[in-house]
């Protein structure tokens, strides 16, 4: 259920056209131009999929995950950008006795580079790393603020410019996750008992399709995204989720940004329409963006 946070994307700026920049888009800042962003995110669900069974849970009621993320992007060159994000996350349930968790989650770093240009078709690649910032509890799901795994991700981006400032974009990425140490001597992975405190967290992949409009200070787009683990087990009946679960989600949403000058705002909303071992969440992100030059 923590993976609903993966549907919360970041918003940054670009020089000249001053557009939003994300790890999955085609926009770059010029050399020595940096940008900061402060983003508030809220993700909540009442119903979730226990394996493929859709249900609610009176011991949880409505689970809410709030996040406050600080981010900065920097133009190393016109075709290579670096992005860093630090999120503070808080979870809480509306019913039952499960105690919410809060703290700094995982610091993430991305490097994005332009690979080729051919007429209206553009290719890009993004490499990312993340690691936990604090010793938060990982096995108290769905109240945990994160998985606790170090990750490496590789993303390919294809972008095509259409007439009248429209565009389409398709991206796909693969996420490699490290093992996680938990405070127990054994755990179940499917029907197998593993006598170890080292948990194998399944790798994952995602894909996104975007259709949008972008011109000067305005950016509007709609998108569909699919996220799935590459293996893993299912939540057992009336049991808590665990790090080994195979979580799958398909979400649809919209993004908007208004950036008349150096200061701008952005908003994003998405909804999980289908899933497995995950919450049917509604996700909202609001951001304040500021562009500046690094001497």
């Amino acid at each position: 259920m923590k993976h609903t946070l993966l549907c919360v994307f970041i918003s940054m700026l670009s020089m000249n056209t001053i557009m939003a920049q994300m790890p999955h888009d085609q926009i770059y800042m010029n050399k020595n131009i940096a940008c900061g962003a402060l983003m508030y995110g809220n993700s909540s669900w009442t119903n979730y999929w226990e394996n493929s069974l859709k249900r609610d849970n009176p011991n949880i009621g409505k689970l809410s995950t709030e996040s406050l993320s600080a981010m900065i992007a920097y133009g190393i060159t016109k075709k290579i950008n670096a992005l860093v994000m630090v999120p503070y996350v808080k979870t809480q349930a509306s019913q039952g006795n499960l105690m919410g968790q809060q703290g700094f989650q995982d610091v993430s770093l991305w490097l994005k580079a332009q690979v080729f240009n051919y007429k209206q078709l553009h290719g890009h690649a993004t490499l990312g790393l993340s690691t936990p910032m604090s010793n938060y509890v990982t096995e108290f799901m769905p109240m945990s603020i994160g998985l606790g795994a170090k990750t490496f991700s590789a993303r390919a981006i294809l972008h095509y410019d259409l007439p009248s400032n429209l565009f389409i974009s398709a991206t796909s990425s693969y996420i490699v996750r490290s093992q996680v140490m938990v405070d127990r001597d054994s755990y179940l992975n499917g029907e197998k008992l593993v006598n170890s405190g080292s948990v194998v967290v399944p790798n994952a992949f995602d894909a996104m399709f975007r259709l949008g409009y972008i011109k000067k200070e305005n950016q509007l787009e709609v998108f569909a995204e699919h996220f799935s683990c590459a293996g893993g087990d299912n939540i057992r009946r009336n049991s808590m989720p665990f790090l080994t679960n195979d979580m799958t989600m398909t979400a649809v949403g919209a993004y908007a940004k208004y950036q008349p000058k150096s200061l701008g705002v952005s908003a994003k909303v998405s909804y999980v329409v289908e899933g497995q071992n995950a919450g049917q969440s509604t996700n909202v992100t609001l951001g304040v963006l500021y562009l500046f030059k690094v001497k």
Side-chain angles (χ1 to χ4, degrees):
M1 286 85 175
K2 174 261 173 185
H3 289 296
T4 54
L5 293 176
L6 294 177
C7 298
V8 180
F9 291 100
I10 53 178
S11 300
M12 301 305 291
L13 305 180
S14 172
M15 192 58 174
N16 297 331
T17 53
I18 316 183
M19 302 171 183
Q21 182 188 164
M22 306 178 188
H24 61 267
D25 69 14
Q26 75 291 353
I27 301 168
Y28 290 81
M29 294 182 296
N30 279 349
K31 183 178 179 180
N32 294 332
I33 300 299
C35 151
L38 187 64
M39 294 154 291
Y40 169 78
N42 185 290
S43 174
S44 62
W45 55 261
T46 301
N47 297 315
Y48 68 100
W49 288 274
E50 185 182 73
N51 191 351
S52 58
L53 174 65
K54 190 176 180 181
R55 57 166 294 182
D56 62 358
N57 191 330
N59 292 320
I60 296 175
K62 181 179 181 179
L63 179 70
S64 298
T65 301
E66 293 181 288
S67 64
L68 186 64
S69 302
M71 190 163 187
I72 191 165
Y74 177 71
I76 301 174
T77 70
K78 288 184 178 181
K79 296 183 178 181
I80 302 176
N81 279 194
L83 302 91
V84 180
M85 182 175 70
V86 175
Y88 188 89
V89 181
K90 177 182 179 181
T91 63
Q92 61 181 4
S94 64
Q95 297 176 196
N97 298 316
L98 293 179
M99 182 179 296
Q101 305 289 297
Q102 61 181 326
F104 286 101
Q105 193 206 52
D106 304 338
V107 57
S108 299
L109 167 67
W110 295 273
L111 286 176
K112 183 171 66 174
Q114 187 177 100
V115 179
F116 71 87
N117 284 317
Y118 180 73
K119 296 182 179 180
Q120 286 78 34
L121 182 65
H122 316 285
H124 311 269
T126 303
L127 298 178
L129 296 170
S130 74
T131 187
M133 294 186 64
S134 60
N135 189 27
Y136 55 80
V137 179
T138 60
E139 53 188 308
F140 188 40
M141 301 175 73
M143 309 308 296
S144 302
I145 65 171
L147 295 178
K150 298 179 177 66
T151 71
F152 170 78
S153 63
R155 179 181 297 273
I157 306 164
L158 283 177
H159 175 88
Y160 189 80
D161 293 319
L162 298 171
S164 302
N165 299 305
L166 298 174
F167 70 87
I168 56 174
S169 178
T171 73
S172 181
S173 71
Y174 191 80
I175 306 164
V176 179
R177 293 166 167 158
S178 69
Q179 297 187 15
V180 174
M181 292 300 299
V182 296
D183 191 20
R184 60 174 73 180
D185 297 326
S186 62
Y187 63 93
L188 283 173
N189 189 344
E191 301 300 323
K192 180 182 178 181
L193 178 64
V194 181
N195 292 308
S196 172
S198 179
V199 179
V200 177
V201 182
N203 297 334
F205 61 90
D206 67 45
M208 174 183 281
F209 178 82
R210 299 160 53 224
L211 172 63
Y213 169 87
I214 187 166
K215 183 180 180 181
K216 295 183 179 180
E217 68 268 19
N218 297 310
Q219 182 177 349
L220 297 170
E221 63 183 58
V222 293
F223 63 87
E225 182 184 25
H226 178 77
F227 170 89
S228 182
C229 291
D233 58 4
N234 295 312
I235 302 175
R236 287 173 289 276
R237 182 62 174 160
N238 292 324
S239 183
M240 298 178 69
F242 193 59
L243 300 169
T244 56
N245 291 160
D246 178 10
M247 294 186 179
T248 300
M249 292 181 296
T250 300
V252 295
Y255 171 83
K257 186 260 338 174
Y258 180 65
Q259 185 77 36
K261 294 184 179 180
S262 295
L263 187 65
V265 293
S266 66
K268 179 179 176 290
V269 60
S270 67
Y271 179 69
V272 175
V273 295
E274 186 179 2
Q276 181 177 343
N277 302 309
Q280 188 169 30
S281 60
T282 300
N283 311 286
V284 177
T285 305
L286 302 174
V288 178
L289 321 168
Y290 186 71
L291 180 72
F292 59 97
K293 186 173 183 179
V294 178
K295 295 183 179 180

